[in-house]
Each structure stands twice: as C-alpha cells, then as structure tokens.
C-alpha cells in the first residue's frame, strides 16, 4: 500500500485487494496459528502443508490466521477450495495434513471423514454484508454446516468478528471485512460529541469487569481540562482462566487500533498506549506489525484520513504482575514505576497518565467500538439485557467437551453455555462447580446455572461473570483445594503495601493449607470468616478487598465439603493429599 | 589554619590535687548522655560531655516518634538540648574523641582530642551554608550495597548507549529499558542498573524498586533454558501439580532454582493464557499445551 487512505474510495481500493487474498481463485490452506494453536502443534502442520504443496506442485498458498475459538479442536486447518466452500478440519496432525492434501491433489477428495464443518457463508459483521461460498459437492453434505455446530449455533460474533478468518498481519484483509469504516465515518461525518453520544446510546459498558458505561467515561475525559490527553488499552489480561484478550490481539489487532483511533478522536487524545502482558509474545509482535501497517496506510500518524488529526499508538509490555491489570497500577507501570495502585479518586479520566486525563478501556471494549459506529448504536443496543447491551466473550474451559472462546449477548444462561455450546461435561460426569468470573469470585454451585449472565449480581436473576473465564469443575475437583489454590494465587500477587492484605492472605493461606492437610480445627471456618471480613474492610486496594471472597464465596456454597475436611479428615473428591488414603 | 587546632588537647586532668575530684566525663551526647549530664550537674558535679559528631542530640533528634508510647521525639529532646547548652556546670566538647584514660576511680586522667571544626565557632550561627558548600565533606555516605561496584566493559557500555539513545524522549522509558536488558542478558546485571541510575540521574533504589517489583525481571543469572510451568486455575484443575512435580523430578530442582549444570531454570507462572489446552508449560517462550506426564521429558530433551 503506497497511498495513504483518505476517502471511502481509497478504502474501497484496499478492500478490493483484501478480498482477492481473503477469497482467492486458487486453493488456500489456512492454519490456525494463534498461541493456542501453536502450543498444540500448528507449526508442524504448517510445515507439513508447505512441504506437500511443494512436493505435489499444487497451485495453492499456505497462510495463517488467528484463533476461531474452537480451542479443543486445535490444531485447525481450513481449506478454501476454488469454486467451493471453506472447510474446517480439527485435531490435525502432520500425517493427516499430508493425507488430506494428497487426496485433494489426486482426485479432488475433500476427505469428509476428517472434516469438522463447512461454511455456507461468512458474515462481515462490520458491513452487515456476507460472503457466500459456492455450494459444496455431494460428498460434503454429510458433514455439518459450520453455523449449525452446537458450539457455534447460538454465538453472536462482534468482538471476535474477524478472529480466525483473516490473516492478522494483513491490513487489507481486515479492511475487506469492514475495518476502519467506523473511523472514516467518525472523522468525515461526525463531531467528537456526536461520537460520544453514539457510544452512550449504544449502552456499551466496560468489558474489563467493572462495567462502567463507556460513553460516560469518554465524556468525563473530553470535558476534563487540559490539552494533553491519552487513551490506553488495558491488555494486561492477568486473570487466570481468561484469554480472550490475547485472541483478539493475535487475531484481529486492527479492531483495537480502530477503536482507540475513534476513542482518541472523541476525547481529544493525540497519543495512545497499549499495555500488553509479557506472557503474550505473539500478541506483542502481531500488534506491532499492525501498528506499522496502519501508519503506512495513514491511519495512524499525522493528518489521519485527511482530517489534520494526529494520533500515535505505542506498545508497553508488562513484566509479570497481576496487579497491573488494575487501571491505576497499569498507569504507574506505563510511567515506568513499580505497579502499585493509586488511591481513587481522582480517577484516571481527570488524573491519569502523567496527571493528564486518560481513558483506560479493556481490549474487548475497544474492539466493540468500531461495530457500534459502522452498524449504529441501535443495532448494538438490540443485543443484550436491559442493563447491559451487546455481546461479550467467555473462555469456556476445564472439564467441558467443547472448550474455547464463546461470544454471546448478555442475558445468556450459564446452563445453555455449558450444556449446549460447551456440549456438556467430559465423560458425562456430574457438574460440581464453576470457577467463573475471576479468581476472587470463588466457586459457583450448579444451582446457579439458570441465572442469566449480566454485569451485576441480582439474586435469583442474574450472575456477574466479570472477566469472562469459566472453568468447569466436575466431581473430580475439590472446592476446598480450589479455594486454597486461589488464595495461594493472591498471596503471590499481593504487593505487600498494606498489612491487611499482606498478612491476612498469609494467614488465610495457612488456614486453607491446614484444612486441606486434614489438620483443620473446629474454629477455623469462623476464623476464616472473621479474617476475610477484616481484610475486606481494611485493605488499601481492590486486590486485598476482593481476595478473601475467593474463600468466602466458595465456603458459602460448599460448606459441607470444607466441614468434611475438618471433621472427618477426608476429601470426598480425593484431591487433597494426606486425606485420600 | 593553626596547626594547634588540629591537635588541641582539652586539659581535663588536674595533676596537683590529691583527693577525689568533683568532675565527671560523659561519653556520647545522645539522649542518655544528655540526661546523665543534666542529672550530674544537678547533683553538683562539673561535667564534660564528649561527643564525636558536630552536635549533641544523637539518633533521637532525628526520629519522629519514640517507642513504645509514640510520643513526639523532638518534644522530649529539645528542652534537654537547650538546658544542656545553658548549664554552666556542663562543658560540651563536640567533634571530640576520648584519646586516653588513666588513673583510678575518683581520680581519672582523661585525654580528649578535638578534631578541626574549620569554622570560627565564636562567629558561627549554625546556618549550615558551609556544610552544603563544602567540597570535601558533602558526599552522602551510602551503605556499600548502594554504591556502584563494577565498571562496565566496553561492549556493555556501548550496548547500553545504543539502547538509551534509541529510547530518548520516550516517556516512561524505565520499563522498556529494563525489559530489553532482561532479554539481552537474561537477567538484570547489577552494574548496568547502576549505570542507568547514574545516566538518568535517579537514585539506584528507584531503579531497583522497579526491577524487583516485577516477576519477570530477574536479578540473578538463570540457566540456558527457562522452563515455566503454568499454575493458572484452569491448569490447576487439569493436573498442573503433577506436571510440576514431574518437571521437578526430571530437572532435579525446586521452582525458582537452576540445575547445577546451568541447563534449566524452573519456575511457575500464573496463567499463560492457554486455558483451553491445559495443562500447559513453556520453555524459552515456546508454548506446549495438553501436556501429559510422559511428554515432559520429551519436551525438555528438545532444549539442549
């Protein structure tokens, strides 16, 4: 791309280029190469595919894409057949890749026996259009259609719109699926006030856990005094059990860049930071490439889209501190200090980075911005519940058949999530508990399965799954052991600044160790509750205040199991050592 | 400067007298020494209060509160300081050392050596301006662990130059710099951190504070390969503990340690973000999902 993008015509030119690589005339072999794919051997699949293509002299290209979300089927390989549909193959090995490509080269055999599903069409969420594939030949009709798979049937992709469908390193493929149209609309047709109004109308709330209305946050930052303002993307996804932010960063980096560009325009920021945790090296590389591409295309830098507006984005990489996911600790870290939280108020919208007004939003929030501007606030607000509009992403994992990333509108029930999308428990064992919504939420009992997912807890109606990780525990798991593990996590991550957290966690951890070793006393449960109450009341920041909930919430629902450890010196699930023999 | 002032001897001995002498020498002008002097003076003794530093008052004058009552330290000591200076029976000898002591109980002969004060004490108002201007004494005395220890060799120095000049004007450059060094050297060498503090004109403790806060910054050298076992919640529920124990058994070290041959350093991390492929582990940044006990030695073997 040589010319910077200025008008809708320029964007259309890039789109045309992207469409030819997205849906080429010749065979395209795509390997799902996000971290989750690579961890289970996607690299070897790609080498095998390249080798076979070369050996057989196939007219084909081998490319990569991000994670489509069906992680339990990784490694995934997709074939885009000329004049045919896109077909997905799961659980691939280099041998299977070889036999698939050989069969295809020899007689056009698509090996329906190995296929996971085929696509009739691909929805381009940002434009509202769809690319329809030519229908497949007869043999494939026995293979399920992708959109009819239980895992995908009820999903609604907005944040994950392009993950697993585009080459994340190619800006033209992102544009071909509608990226940067929202930014163009904002710059060409709207005022910053109008953009904020649209965000407010959409009902979007922060997806990081606290669910603060995004439009309102932007408005605060816009009206704060000062010329220098910042926008920040919180990609320090430290919560154990959630990895959707990583997937967006690795699979669709332009979604975040476009969101931040629109946000910067709305609040009046000239500089943005993306704070990524160091455990995600692939995400950092992908994001940097995307930023460079966007700069080349005139979408970042000076005079963006011919508007005279300038905006730059830098990546900051963390160094392994859970607390940096807290927004003020994250700002401290960007400034080059130890990541210790600041006391609020003042809030970052008035006193953020270097004391300037700063908007900090989560990856999923930024990724939700562009669709709202391209499709309109009404389209977005039609999804979700009364309180919370739109969709959000959950990572479903643990003892569930279909593990992976699930994007559904708010209001979805946990039961549907686990038994329909997730396909039930592995080995059809009974469900014991869910460790959902972050470590501080402890374990949720199956009796709460029929509650709707929302951004607050309303007893009997909704359940909050803050950060979106859902770890399914079957009857082979021990909730006391889980509580012990979660407290151990907080103990390690406590910064040690205040006594209630530093010392309280050490004591909590000691009590849990004692209970799990069969040395618990009668009074321990009471002590746990008293200690947790003190910590909640007295800790300086959210970490110390929330940490005891990991035990308290679990204890509230699974008291009987704790008592068995103490009174009978036995672990019913057979997990705690010393109590099993 | 009069050479005499360097070796001035305060005569506190009175050789001619036979009987017991009514003077007492108190060593040390802290709160204990001051109180002792005041009590002795009240009992009718002549007191010589010898203190090695330029002023009396000692540690208590520098404290905010006293243990265990939490009373204000200055409020206790200030009246005593004033009283001590005013008392005609007390002679305060600061910047002085007791050089010798002989005689017997009731008749000691003490030799006190005063060090040069370099100011005319009759004219001194205690404004402290000379102190901050003094080229000789105005070096804060840092404990040895906070002093630069090693010079950088040429390679390290030029590498650091390149790194720092590349990040010039970058706001909040501390994290990127430390990260880069941590990757290049596989830990944060002390000498380089000292250089950063010097060049940026910040205190070394500030650099060390950031360096020691983050889990991934290593202050000690590590083995050739870093083996990370994921201990996230999902991995924990899918057998991470057994994987870690297998790693400990194969490598022969506990988490946080390096094996004697320097091949592997084992550590645990909280969540690699591979939760749907749990249990997972990582070696030198290369991730492995769905690990089982048999695969552990196989994976380790790939890293010589």
């Amino acid at each position: 791309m040589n010319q910077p993008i200025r008008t809708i015509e320029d964007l259309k030119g890039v789109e045309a280029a992207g469409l030819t690589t997205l849906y080429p005339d010749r065979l395209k072999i795509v390997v799902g190469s996000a971290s989750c794919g690579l961890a289970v051997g996607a690299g070897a699949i790609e080498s095998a595919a390249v080798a076979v293509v070369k050996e057989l002299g196939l007219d084909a290209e081998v490319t990569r894409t991000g994670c489509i979300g069906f992680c339990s089927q990784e490694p995934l390989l997709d074939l885009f057949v000329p004049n045919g549909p896109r077909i997905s193959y799961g659980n691939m090995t280099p041998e299977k890749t070889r036999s698939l490509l050989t069969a295809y080269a020899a007689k056009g055999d698509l090996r329906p026996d190995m296929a996971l599903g085929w696509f009739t069409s691909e929805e381009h969420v940002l434009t509202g259009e769809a690319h329809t594939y030519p229908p497949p030949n007869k043999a494939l009709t026995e293979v399920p259609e992708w959109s009819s798979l239980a895992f995908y049937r009820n999903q609604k992709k907005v944040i994950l719109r392009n993950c697993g469908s585009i080459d994340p390193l190619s800006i033209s493929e992102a544009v071909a699926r509608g990226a940067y149209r929202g930014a163009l609309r904002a710059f060409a047709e709207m005022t910053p006030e109008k953009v904020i109004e649209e965000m407010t109308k959409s009902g979007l709330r922060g997806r990081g856990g606290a669910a603060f209305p995004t439009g309102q946050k932007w408005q605060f930052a816009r009206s704060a005094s000062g010329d220098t303002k910042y926008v920040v993307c919180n990609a320090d996804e430290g919560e154990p059990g959630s990895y959707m932010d990583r997937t967006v960063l690795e699979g669709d980096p332009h979604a975040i860049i476009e969101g931040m560009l629109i946000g910067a325009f709305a609040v009046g920021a000239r500089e943005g930071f993306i704070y990524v945790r160091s455990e995600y090296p692939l995400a950092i590389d992908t994001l940097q490439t995307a930023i460079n591409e966007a700069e080349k295309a005139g979408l970042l830098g000076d005079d963006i889209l011919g508007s005279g507006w300038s905006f730059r984005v830098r990546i900051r990489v963390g160094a392994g501190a859970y607390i940096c996911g807290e927004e003020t600790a994250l700002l401290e870290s960007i400034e080059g200090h130890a990541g210790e939280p600041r006391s609020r108020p003042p809030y970052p919208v008035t006193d953020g980075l270097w004391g300037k007004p700063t908007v900090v939003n989560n990856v999923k929030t930024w990724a939700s911005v562009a669709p709202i501007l391209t499709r309109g606030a009404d389209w977005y607000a039609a999804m979700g519940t009364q309180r919370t509009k739109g969709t959000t992403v959950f990572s479903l994992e643990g003892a569930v058949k279909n593990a992976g990333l699930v994007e559904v509108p708010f209001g979805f029930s946990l039961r549907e999530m686990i038994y329909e999308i997730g396909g039930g428990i592995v080995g059809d064992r009974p469900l014991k508990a869910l460790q959902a919504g972050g470590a501080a939420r402890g374990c949720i009992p199956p009796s709460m399965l029929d509650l709707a997912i929302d951004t607050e807890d309303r007893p009997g109606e909704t359940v909050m799954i803050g950060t979106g990780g859902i770890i399914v525990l079957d009857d082979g798991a021990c909730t006391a052991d889980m509580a012990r593990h979660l407290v151990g996590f907080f103990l390690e991550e406590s910064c040690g600044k205040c006594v209630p957290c530093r010392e309280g966690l050490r004591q909590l951890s000691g009590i849990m160790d004692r209970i799990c070793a069969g040395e618990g006393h009668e009074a321990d449960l009471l002590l746990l509750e008293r200690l947790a109450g003190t910590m909640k009341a007295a800790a300086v920041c959210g970490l110390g205040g929330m940490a005891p909930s990991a035990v308290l919430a679990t204890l509230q629902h699974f008291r009987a199991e704790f008592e068995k450890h103490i009174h009978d010196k036995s672990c019913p699930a057979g997990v705690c050592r010393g109590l099993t023999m | 400067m009069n050479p005499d002032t360097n070796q001035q001897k305060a005569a506190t001995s009175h050789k001619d007298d036979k009987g017991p002498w009514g003077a007492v020498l108190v060593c040390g002008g802290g709160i204990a020494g001051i109180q002792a002097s005041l009590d002795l003076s009240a009992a009718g003794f002549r007191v010589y209060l010898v203190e090695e530093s330029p002023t009396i008052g000692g540690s208590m004058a520098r404290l905010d509160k006293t243990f265990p009552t939490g009373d204000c330290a200055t409020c206790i000591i200030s009246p005593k300081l004033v009283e001590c200076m005013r008392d005609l029976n007390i002679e305060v000898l600061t910047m002085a050392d007791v050089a010798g002591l002989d005689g017997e109980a009731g008749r000691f002969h003490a030799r006190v050596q005063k060090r040069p004060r370099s100011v005319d004490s009759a004219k001194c108002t205690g404004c402290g301006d000379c102190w901050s201007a003094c080229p000789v004494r105005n070096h804060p005395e840092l404990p040895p662990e906070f002093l630069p220890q090693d010079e950088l060799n040429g390679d390290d120095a030029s590498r650091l130059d390149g790194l720092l000049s590349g990040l010039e004007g970058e706001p909040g450059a501390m994290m990127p710099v430390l990260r880069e060094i941590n990757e290049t050297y596989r830990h944060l060498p002390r000498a380089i951190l000292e250089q950063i503090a010097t060049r940026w004109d910040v205190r070394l403790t500030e650099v060390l504070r950031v360096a020691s806060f983050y889990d991934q910054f290593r202050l000690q050298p590590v083995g050739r390969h870093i083996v990370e076992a994921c201990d996230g919640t999902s991995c924990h529920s899918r057998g991470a503990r057994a994987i870690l124990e297998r790693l400990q058994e194969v490598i022969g070290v506990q988490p946080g340690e390096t094996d004697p041959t320097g091949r592997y350093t084992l550590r645990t991390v909280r969540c690699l973000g591979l939760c749907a492929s749990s249990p997972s582990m990582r070696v030198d940044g290369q991730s492995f999902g769905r690990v089982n006990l048999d695969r552990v030695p196989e994976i380790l073997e790939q890293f010589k």
Side-chain angles (χ1 to χ4, degrees):
Chain A
M1 201 176 320
N2 306 317
Q3 285 302 108
I5 298 171
R6 291 288 168 87
T7 61
I8 187 79
E9 283 71 37
D10 296 343
L11 205 62
K12 286 250 152 65
V14 179
E15 183 182 327
L19 283 172
T20 59
T21 58
L22 259 186
Y23 310 112
D25 295 334
R26 57 188 192 145
L27 179 68
K28 181 161 101 163
I29 303 161
V30 181
V31 183
S33 301
S35 293
C36 39
L38 292 170
V40 289
I45 312 285
E46 188 185 318
S47 321
V50 170
V52 176
V53 166
K54 204 169 159 200
E55 258 168 52
L56 303 177
L58 270 175
D59 178 26
E61 57 182 315
V62 181
T63 65
R64 296 176 176 188
T65 186
C67 173
I68 201 161
F70 211 162
C71 299
S72 53
Q73 292 289 336
E74 296 271 13
L76 285 163
L77 179 139
D78 284 28
L79 291 186
F80 289 69
V81 186
N83 293 318
R86 168 183 178 180
I87 306 135
S88 230
Y89 301 86
N91 279 319
M92 292 303 281
T93 58
E95 296 72 44
K96 282 163 94 174
T97 308
R98 184 166 283 275
S99 74
L100 168 67
L101 292 180
T102 317
Y104 176 76
K107 40 188 193 299
D109 183 1
L110 286 167
R111 296 297 300 271
D113 54 316
M114 285 161 59
L116 189 62
W118 57 275
F119 289 71
T120 44
S121 66
E122 298 233 15
E123 190 193 356
H124 294 183
V125 175
L126 287 170
T127 61
E129 294 154 12
H131 172 84
T132 310
Y133 290 105
N137 59 30
K138 265 200 193 130
L140 267 181
T141 46
E142 291 150 33
V143 178
E145 239 178 76
W146 189 259
S147 55
S148 72
L149 290 176
F151 188 69
Y152 279 99
R153 203 160 40 214
N154 292 321
Q155 289 205 49
K156 179 81 191 134
K157 304 264 182 183
V158 176
I159 294 165
L160 299 176
R161 55 191 177 266
N162 292 336
C163 291
S165 296
I166 60 166
D167 176 356
L169 300 181
S170 158
I171 189 169
S172 54
E173 290 192 7
V175 170
R177 288 177 66 104
Y180 294 106
R181 285 191 189 199
L184 194 68
R185 182 176 163 223
F187 279 79
E189 300 167 21
M190 298 167 86
T191 60
E193 288 77 14
K194 192 90 190 26
V195 174
I196 293 179
E197 200 189 307
E198 191 89 2
M199 296 311 293
T200 311
K201 211 169 118 197
S202 74
L204 176 66
R205 282 169 182 271
R207 294 285 186 261
F212 191 82
T214 306
Q216 207 178 334
K217 189 187 267 186
W218 290 14
Q219 183 57 53
F220 285 147
R222 172 147 195 92
S223 21
S225 57
D227 289 338
T228 313
K229 294 176 183 177
Y230 296 100
V231 288
V232 173
C233 174
N234 182 348
D236 190 65
E237 188 177 41
E239 197 65 57
S242 44
Y243 63 100
M244 58 291 274
D245 292 357
R246 192 208 75 216
T247 304
V248 178
L249 296 168
E250 288 176 352
D252 191 11
H254 290 287
I256 296 153
I257 298 173
E258 186 184 2
M260 289 181 76
L261 179 59
I262 295 169
F265 175 72
V267 304
R270 305 278 173 165
E271 223 175 326
F273 288 91
I274 304 177
Y275 189 92
V276 192
R277 69 196 289 245
S278 58
E279 285 83 352
Y280 293 170
L282 181 64
I284 296 163
D285 291 347
T286 310
L287 206 48
Q288 190 59 59
T289 311
I291 290 172
N292 297 346
E293 289 266 296
E295 278 173 1
K296 264 192 252 163
L299 294 162
L300 289 177
D302 294 319
D303 194 18
I304 296 165
L305 296 167
S307 66
W309 188 261
S310 66
F311 178 62
R312 285 188 169 73
V313 175
R314 296 170 205 261
I315 299 176
R316 276 286 182 276
V317 182
Y322 170 73
I323 190 64
C324 287
E326 197 274 342
E327 60 177 4
T328 59
L330 181 143
L331 296 179
E332 284 286 318
S333 187
I334 293 179
E335 289 181 18
H337 307 138
E340 281 185 353
R342 305 172 181 171
S343 49
R344 297 180 300 180
Y347 290 92
V349 282
T350 54
D351 291 81
L353 269 184
W354 293 286
K356 308 289 185 206
T358 305
V359 166
V360 186
N361 277 329
N362 175 267
V363 167
K364 298 180 281 291
T365 319
W366 286 123
S368 302
V369 170
I372 293 173
L373 279 205
T374 27
R375 298 290 296 272
D378 295 332
W379 169 81
Y380 193 78
M383 297 177 285
T385 62
Q386 186 69 30
R387 175 182 152 90
T388 316
K389 305 297 180 194
T391 62
T392 191
V393 189
F394 298 94
S395 50
L396 188 59
E397 65 226 20
V400 65
K401 282 177 188 160
N402 299 332
L405 290 180
V406 177
E407 182 167 7
V408 288
F410 280 100
F412 211 75
S413 84
L414 279 172
R415 185 179 297 282
E416 284 174 276
M417 173 88 76
I418 288 153
Y419 286 99
E420 288 184 24
I421 292 180
I425 312 298
V426 175
D428 292 320
R429 297 170 72 109
L431 171 70
K432 180 162 186 179
L434 302 177
Q435 207 288 297
R441 299 277 295 172
C443 295
I444 295 175
S447 61
M448 289 169 81
L449 273 186
D450 290 310
L451 302 186
I453 296 167
D454 207 333
T455 48
E456 63 174 0
D457 278 325
R458 283 200 304 277
E461 287 178 51
T462 59
V463 56
M464 183 181 93
I465 311 285
T467 47
I470 300 180
I471 300 155
V472 179
L473 304 173
D474 63 12
D475 60 350
C478 169
T479 52
D481 175 70
M482 192 45 81
R484 187 184 68 90
H485 173 78
L486 296 175
V487 168
F489 167 70
F490 285 116
L491 177 63
E492 251 174 59
E493 295 298 341
S494 168
C495 75
K497 186 172 172 177
C498 68
V499 177
C501 177
R502 182 182 65 225
E503 197 48 39
L505 280 169
R506 192 162 300 282
Q507 296 304 327
L508 272 187
S509 170
I511 298 171
M512 285 315 300
D513 283 347
R514 207 153 70 205
I515 292 176
C516 291
E519 290 156 10
H521 310 307
E522 296 283 329
D524 274 347
L525 295 183
L526 203 64
L527 188 59
L528 272 182
E529 283 166 343
R530 281 189 55 195
L531 193 57
T534 309
M535 287 176 67
K536 270 189 176 173
V540 164
C541 81
L543 190 142
M546 298 286 286
S549 307
V551 178
L552 278 194
T554 313
L555 183 60
Q556 185 194 338
H557 300 300
F558 297 94
R559 198 175 190 97
E561 187 158 33
F562 281 64
E563 282 171 348
K564 273 221 160 54
H565 284 74
I566 295 173
H567 301 316
D568 306 350
K569 310 287 174 211
S570 80
C571 175
V575 173
C576 298
R577 289 187 190 169
L579 299 182
T580 46
M581 292 298 158
Chain B
M1 195 184 291
N2 184 352
D4 258 358
T5 53
N6 282 339
Q7 293 290 317
Q8 190 187 350
K9 285 168 192 171
T12 58
S13 60
H14 299 260
K15 287 179 181 167
D16 301 333
D17 299 69
K18 302 273 188 228
W21 187 256
V24 181
L25 184 138
V26 176
C27 282
I31 181 65
I34 291 170
Q35 188 61 50
S37 304
L38 290 171
D39 291 348
L40 286 162
S41 166
F45 290 95
R46 170 87 177 152
V47 181
Y48 299 94
L49 176 56
V50 180
E51 162 63 32
E52 75 174 325
S53 75
T55 63
I56 58 170
S59 306
M60 193 179 185
R62 298 182 202 127
L63 295 179
D64 176 37
K65 288 187 173 52
T66 52
F67 183 81
T69 53
D71 288 337
C72 163
T74 322
C75 309
I76 297 172
I77 199 169
S78 304
K80 296 188 193 296
L81 284 176
V82 175
E83 209 181 323
C84 198
M85 297 306 288
R86 278 197 190 147
D87 197 316
L88 297 175
N89 256 342
I90 302 175
E91 187 175 340
V92 177
L93 301 166
T94 53
M95 297 186 83
D97 304 304
V98 177
L101 192 67
D102 48 46
E104 58 192 29
R107 283 190 73 83
F108 283 112
H109 300 281
R111 231 158 38 83
V112 175
Q113 186 166 323
K114 284 178 92 176
R115 277 172 278 121
R117 187 171 287 274
S118 308
V119 290
D120 185 343
S121 57
K123 292 181 185 164
C124 176
T125 61
C127 69
D129 284 355
C130 58
W131 189 258
S132 57
C134 178
V136 178
R137 294 214 178 90
N138 193 24
H139 286 294
E141 294 231 350
L142 291 172
E145 61 266 35
F146 295 107
L147 289 174
Q149 286 155 353
D150 301 309
E151 286 296 307
L152 282 193
N153 68 36
D155 278 355
D156 291 343
S158 58
R159 197 176 289 146
L160 186 62
D161 283 338
L163 178 59
L164 293 187
S165 60
L167 285 164
E168 201 151 312
E170 183 86 6
M174 180 79 84
M175 290 288 285
V177 166
L178 292 186
R179 200 183 137 68
E180 191 69 34
I181 295 166
N182 195 47
E183 267 174 25
T184 315
Y185 296 89
R186 300 170 61 73
H187 76 292
L188 297 171
R190 178 60 182 236
I192 294 186
L193 296 184
E194 285 163 0
Q195 276 297 317
I196 293 175
T198 313
R199 294 194 196 189
W200 279 351
D201 199 18
V202 295
R203 279 168 302 168
L204 178 57
T205 48
E206 264 173 57
V207 182
L208 289 177
R209 169 135 178 68
V210 179
S212 61
F213 182 83
Y214 296 94
D215 198 36
Q216 306 257 315
F217 291 151
R218 297 175 289 263
L219 297 170
Q220 299 299 326
V222 287
R224 292 198 298 284
H225 305 291
I226 298 172
V227 182
E228 295 170 309
C230 183
D231 193 23
T233 317
S234 180
C235 289
H236 179 78
S237 78
R238 310 284 286 169
R241 187 170 57 178
I243 301 289
L244 178 63
E245 281 166 356
R246 185 90 173 109
L247 280 166
Q248 285 171 217
E249 183 190 313
V250 175
I251 303 177
V253 294
Q254 296 295 310
E257 295 175 352
T258 303
D259 73 321
T261 62
R263 183 168 166 188
Y264 303 114
T265 296
L266 178 63
R267 59 195 299 268
T268 57
V269 286
R270 293 290 189 166
C271 202
L272 293 169
L274 300 168
C275 313
S277 324
S278 53
S280 60
M281 61 179 277
R282 177 143 76 184
V283 186
D284 291 350
Q286 193 182 333
S287 303
F288 300 89
R290 295 178 205 151
V291 179
N292 58 41
L293 295 180
D294 296 337
R295 272 186 72 203
V296 168
E298 213 176 283
I299 291 170
L300 287 177
E301 210 35 56
Q302 298 171 25
F303 299 88
K304 297 290 173 196

